[in-house]
Amino acid sequence: QGTFTLLRDTRTDGSFLVHHFLSFYLRAGCKVCFVALLQSFSHYNIVAQKLGVNLSAAKERGQLVFLEGLGSCLDVVFGEEQREEEQQATQPHPLQFLSGSVSDLRALFTFVQAALAPVDGDAWQGRVLLLDELGVLLSLGAAPVAVLDFVHYCRVAVCSRLQGNIVVLVHSNEDSEDKENELLMTALSHHSDLILWAEGLATGFCKDVHGQLKIIRRTSLQPGGERDSVQLYQYKIQERNVAFFARGMSAAVL
């Protein structure tokens, strides 16, 4: 509890980690706020069903609060959603910064805070904020400082006050000249308790080994901690799970 986990991928797609954490926390009975900026709800629901979790049922019982960024962006840009909200005198849209009226992500933080706020009588095992993929906010025009401020306030509200967990995915490219994304990645890495870094193989594509996963436990952040703990595994994504093995120990290689 109270941990910040950074999911990072380079030269590969680390989305399988997002699907793992989403199904894991729902099965554990946690209240989950999922800010999905990369895919539609139907995409996550189809994958979750393969993993034995029904996202539609989780939404109906109030366990899952889902923000679909793809549809919400269109609503804000074309003004339909905002006009309805003004008529109903409700809270501003979570992605209100797209309209140009504000430059910060305060509305998005308010949405997260309201979604995970404790309610009398609920019996959820914990609170979880899941973001996929944070770098999209930069592509939509948010400033790196605004994104980092948003993450900071979420860490205080979720990790510190609610003793919940935050899981964030950010795509990275070592050869990219996107300075804003690299700044975001560096700052998040510095504040993370756990980093799961999925990388493509340096030797190129292999049908039996899809990539390697570097697990970095930030023990240096703990009292008395000196060096971070680093483990490295290779993996193969299968239909309903992921097989992990030590480097060079794939069944196809042996």
Side-chain angles (χ1 to χ4, degrees):
Q1 292 183 334
T3 61
F4 184 96
T5 301
L6 173 63
L7 311 180
R8 178 178 181 178
D9 59 19
T10 306
R11 302 189 309 274
T12 190
D13 185 6
S15 299
F16 69 95
L17 295 170
V18 174
H19 297 299
H20 160 73
F21 279 103
L22 177 60
S23 60
F24 171 78
Y25 282 119
L26 289 177
R27 281 197 298 264
C30 297
K31 177 73 175 288
V32 179
C33 176
F34 188 11
V35 179
L37 302 172
L38 205 59
Q39 299 287 351
S40 64
F41 175 79
S42 59
H43 168 80
Y44 295 104
N45 194 30
I46 291 173
V47 178
Q49 287 178 353
K50 293 183 178 180
L51 301 178
V53 176
N54 190 322
L55 298 189
S56 298
K59 285 180 63 176
E60 291 177 0
R61 63 176 176 264
Q63 184 182 10
L64 173 65
V65 179
F66 189 90
L67 175 62
E68 186 171 331
L70 292 176
S72 297
C73 290
L74 295 177
D75 293 335
V76 175
V77 171
F78 291 104
E80 298 176 1
E81 183 76 15
Q82 199 159 4
R83 283 194 296 269
E84 292 178 2
E85 289 177 344
E86 289 174 354
Q87 294 173 359
Q88 299 173 5
T90 58
Q91 294 293 330
H93 193 279
L95 301 180
Q96 187 185 19
F97 75 96
L98 287 172
S99 64
S101 58
V102 293
S103 59
D104 55 45
L105 301 176
R106 186 175 303 179
L108 183 57
F109 170 71
T110 301
F111 169 82
V112 171
Q113 195 175 31
L116 297 178
V119 179
D120 293 338
D122 68 22
W124 306 121
Q125 299 300 315
R127 297 292 195 275
V128 178
L129 171 60
L130 184 60
L131 293 123
D132 179 26
E133 181 260 319
L134 198 61
V136 172
L137 294 175
L138 297 178
S139 302
L140 293 176
V145 174
V147 177
L148 291 175
D149 284 345
F150 165 72
V151 172
H152 170 72
Y153 278 97
C154 287
R155 289 181 61 216
V156 173
V158 180
C159 296
S160 299
R161 295 178 181 173
L162 299 176
Q163 281 299 295
N165 299 324
I166 297 179
V167 181
V168 175
L169 172 66
V170 181
H171 296 312
S172 65
N173 188 348
E174 295 175 339
D175 300 326
S176 174
E177 296 182 357
D178 189 348
K179 301 300 182 182
E180 292 186 346
N181 192 77
E182 292 305 312
L183 173 63
L184 177 64
M185 181 67 68
T186 301
L188 293 179
S189 299
H190 180 72
H191 293 291
S192 300
D193 300 293
L194 175 66
I195 302 175
L196 302 180
W197 188 353
E199 299 176 285
L201 297 176
T203 54
F205 173 78
C206 177
K207 66 177 183 178
D208 296 304
V209 182
H210 291 159
Q212 65 181 18
L213 183 69
K214 184 182 297 183
I215 304 173
I216 305 175
R217 292 182 174 86
R218 302 296 309 284
T219 54
S220 59
L221 299 179
Q222 301 174 2
E226 297 181 357
R227 298 182 59 182
D228 295 338
S229 171
V230 180
Q231 295 174 293
L232 188 61
Y233 298 94
Q234 292 181 338
Y235 64 86
K236 178 181 180 181
I237 300 177
Q238 301 172 342
E239 181 67 19
R240 298 179 184 275
N241 58 10
V242 182
F244 291 91
F245 38 83
R247 285 183 293 179
M249 300 298 289
S250 168
V253 176
L254 297 179

